[in-house]
Amino acid sequence: MTFTISSLVWLILLIAFVVVEALTVSLVSIWFAAGAVAALIVSGFTSSWLVQFAVFAVVSAVALAATRPLVKKRMTARRVPTNADINVGRKAQVLVEVTPDVTGRVRLDGVDWNARSEQTIPAGSLCVVLSVDGATLTVRPDTATAAV
């Protein structure tokens, strides 16, 4: 096994991939680092850039295929339910007209909230809560009371 220029190139690439991984901490280049290690080892036995690159590509692809589903599963943000989630699906009274362009106000269980909607909902009517984002409710008109 001999140390060649191609070995130096793979070593530099390995260091670069590890540095990128350390800076991003989101597992974007760790697979390439594994491929660079394999290519570095192979570079000691052959001077063929084609063989070295093929080993790099195959090992990187296998490492990605083997670990990405596991990593993706662990890195997926888990949604933590909050007390505000109990408001989804409930009806609220519109205090200030809600339009697609202007945030309005609604009252839900005696508490006033900012509200937004893709449709205009006039003051005095009822709406249904679709989601909660901080202190703002996303609402839609209550079709059950509109038909009455």
Side-chain angles (χ1 to χ4, degrees):
M1 188 165 151
T2 60
F3 191 77
T4 63
I5 296 294
S6 61
S7 299
L8 182 62
V9 169
W10 289 115
L11 181 62
I12 291 169
L13 284 172
L14 171 62
I15 293 168
F17 289 134
V18 170
V19 167
V20 167
E21 187 60 44
L23 292 175
T24 61
V25 194
S26 56
L27 297 175
V28 295
S29 66
I30 194 72
W31 305 284
F32 302 121
V37 167
L40 176 62
I41 292 168
V42 169
S43 72
F45 298 102
T46 181
S47 61
S48 170
W49 278 97
L50 184 61
V51 171
Q52 293 172 30
F53 184 77
V55 168
F56 168 76
V58 168
V59 170
S60 295
V62 168
L64 174 64
T67 60
R68 184 67 178 162
L70 258 163
V71 170
K72 195 172 186 180
K73 182 179 177 182
R74 292 192 56 100
M75 301 234 357
T76 302
R78 294 183 183 112
R79 188 174 186 283
V80 178
T82 64
N83 288 339
D85 293 330
I86 64 172
N87 294 324
V88 174
R90 299 185 63 207
K91 294 182 182 181
Q93 179 77 38
V94 178
L95 302 174
V96 176
E97 181 178 70
V98 183
T99 69
D101 301 325
V102 179
T103 301
R105 298 286 292 173
V106 299
R107 180 168 290 145
L108 178 65
D109 290 337
V111 178
D112 293 358
W113 294 76
N114 288 325
R116 62 178 164 245
S117 176
E118 293 180 358
Q119 304 169 8
T120 298
I121 309 172
S125 58
L126 291 178
C127 61
V128 177
V129 178
L130 300 176
S131 65
V132 181
D133 182 21
T136 302
L137 303 177
T138 302
V139 296
R140 66 165 172 77
D142 180 23
T143 54
T145 57
V148 175

